[in-house]
Amino acid sequence: MRVLITGAAGFLGSHLCDRFIAEGHTVVGMDNLITGNMDNIAHLFGHERFSFIKHNVSNYIYVDGPLDAVLHFASPASPNDYLEHPIPTLKVGSLGTHNTLGLAKHKGARYLLASTSEVYGDPQVNPQPETYWGNVNPIGPRGVYDEAKRFAEAMTMAYHRFHGLETRIVRIFNTYGPRMRLNDGRVVPNFIYQALTDQPLTVYGRGVQTRAFQYYSDLIEGIYRLLHSDESQPVNIGNPHTEITVQDLAERIVRLSGSRSPIICIEPTDDRFVDDPQVRRPDITRARTLLGWEPRVPVDEGLAATIAYFRQRI
Ligand code: UDP
């Protein structure tokens, strides 16, 4: 296959590039580097089956030659990033999705959208099955991401229904691992960075909010299987076995990194903490049944590997 991966220089996009190259495919990576980092794909430069185009997919996209698949992974994805870049976040989820869908239709390519558990907002059911419609505040600070992704799903389904495009939608739950930025702002890199630099770990609120954390390699496997399946309905990919509180996560990271940092509770006064989902855990029945997929990496093992990566970088 010849595949286009948008957001190729990002955390997940770069791991996807690696996977497709390893499977013998040809990859065209695209990124505007607003939150991506060329270091993540530097090792692929010079590879005969890899090429890179620096481009903002919210503008018209031109790609030479045939494409068999388009995977749309471009977007700021950390609350810090989308609060800092609210309009580019809305544009890449809406205009960027429209442009990549149009490209896929023109090339006769299969399309995979990176969606998110944020489409469920602050959920009133836990765990969240794909049939749950969500509880999103459209005008809150997170709305720029949540609503853009909800629009992206609607647009993808419209191309599927109206144009007969082969489409896939993955709803990605909290994922962590090597290649996240030290200053990404999401909780895992934040806590690891703080732990390794002897700063207090900043638990927001009382730290009783929960997330279920999956290691990136489990997610990449799920995405690879989904693309090759024939499922056009959204599929959750996340690790339901690891739903823990943010306080518990902080304690694990202190223990696994051997840090002397204290853990403190703070109330961020900026928008970061507004509409913070109180619980989140995927119902993965659909992924299990349709893809035979199951997350494999226990949270302490994934965290230890991520701590090792961060240690090298600091
Ligand atoms: N969080 C925290 N301290 C931090 C960063 C995040 O307590 O330094 C909390 C945040 O309030 C949320 C959870 O960790 O409840 C996960 O936040 P993250 O930014 O990783 O992404 P989200 O799952 O909210 O999209």
Side-chain angles (χ1 to χ4, degrees):
M1 284 197 295
R2 185 166 187 259
V3 305
L4 173 72
I5 298 176
T6 76
F11 164 45
L12 297 178
S14 65
H15 285 299
L16 274 176
C17 289
D18 283 347
R19 176 65 186 262
F20 280 84
I21 291 287
E23 299 280 350
H25 304 297
T26 298
V27 173
V28 181
M30 191 172 274
D31 205 299
N32 68 346
L33 303 177
I34 182 176
T35 57
N37 182 350
M38 290 301 269
D39 289 349
N40 290 337
I41 47 172
H43 60 286
L44 292 174
F45 278 80
H47 194 292
E48 57 180 6
R49 284 186 279 105
F50 182 77
S51 58
F52 180 77
I53 305 171
K54 183 169 182 290
H55 180 69
N56 181 347
V57 297
S58 299
N59 300 322
Y60 184 86
I61 305 168
Y62 177 78
V63 176
D64 221 2
L67 285 175
D68 304 295
V70 173
L71 290 90
H72 183 30
F73 277 71
S75 178
S78 143
N80 277 15
D81 289 335
Y82 49 78
L83 295 175
E84 194 177 326
H85 307 286
I87 294 168
T89 301
L90 278 159
K91 286 173 79 173
V92 75
S94 54
L95 306 178
T97 300
H98 188 210
N99 289 334
T100 49
L101 280 163
L103 178 71
K105 174 169 159 269
H106 172 66
K107 302 280 189 186
R110 189 172 279 199
Y111 186 85
L112 188 143
L113 172 71
S115 186
T116 167
S117 54
E118 283 283 327
V119 301
Y120 303 123
D122 186 4
Q124 287 164 325
V125 296
N126 197 39
Q128 297 82 52
E130 290 88 346
T131 47
Y132 180 53
W133 289 357
N135 179 35
V136 170
N137 174 4
I139 56 165
R142 282 176 179 259
V144 299
Y145 184 66
D146 303 7
E147 294 297 3
K149 290 291 190 182
R150 289 169 67 98
F151 175 91
E153 289 198 5
M155 192 61 132
T156 301
M157 290 308 291
Y159 266 69
H160 173 66
R161 294 196 182 106
F162 190 73
H163 290 307
L165 191 71
E166 275 202 60
T167 57
R168 312 284 176 262
I169 298 174
V170 56
R171 289 187 180 152
I172 300 172
F173 282 68
N174 292 67
T175 307
Y176 66 95
R179 300 190 189 163
M180 293 184 102
R181 284 157 28 232
L182 301 182
N183 62 349
D184 175 284
R186 277 176 283 189
V187 68
V188 171
N190 238 23
F191 284 177
I192 294 178
Y193 183 73
Q194 290 164 339
L196 295 182
T197 54
D198 292 330
Q199 299 175 62
L201 275 68
T202 53
V203 167
Y204 298 164
R206 291 186 299 120
V208 293
Q209 65 273 40
T210 69
R211 296 292 186 274
F213 295 97
Q214 83 180 320
Y215 196 55
Y216 80 94
S217 56
D218 283 329
L219 172 68
I220 299 296
E221 179 62 30
I223 291 168
Y224 198 78
R225 289 188 192 201
L226 176 61
L227 180 71
H228 290 90
S229 77
D230 52 15
E231 182 57 48
S232 55
Q233 294 294 309
V235 178
N236 289 339
I237 299 284
N239 190 337
H241 313 302
T242 61
E243 185 186 15
I244 55 175
T245 64
V246 167
Q247 174 69 28
D248 181 348
L249 177 72
E251 288 166 11
R252 281 169 197 255
I253 288 176
V254 166
R255 175 168 52 77
L256 291 165
S257 62
S259 170
R260 292 186 310 256
S261 297
I263 297 169
I264 59 168
C265 289
I266 63 167
E267 284 287 339
T269 47
D270 57 21
D271 279 344
R272 261 176 302 176
F273 198 49
V274 176
D275 300 332
D276 194 38
Q278 289 309 295
V279 291
R280 183 184 288 158
R281 169 157 56 110
D283 179 326
I284 59 164
T285 310
R286 210 177 257 185
R288 275 194 182 115
T289 319
L290 297 171
L291 312 177
W293 175 86
E294 188 74 39
R296 306 215 170 275
V297 182
V299 70
D300 283 3
E301 193 181 311
L303 287 175
T306 310
I307 290 167
Y309 169 84
F310 272 66
R311 231 186 257 287
Q312 285 172 2
R313 301 242 135 195
I314 287 170

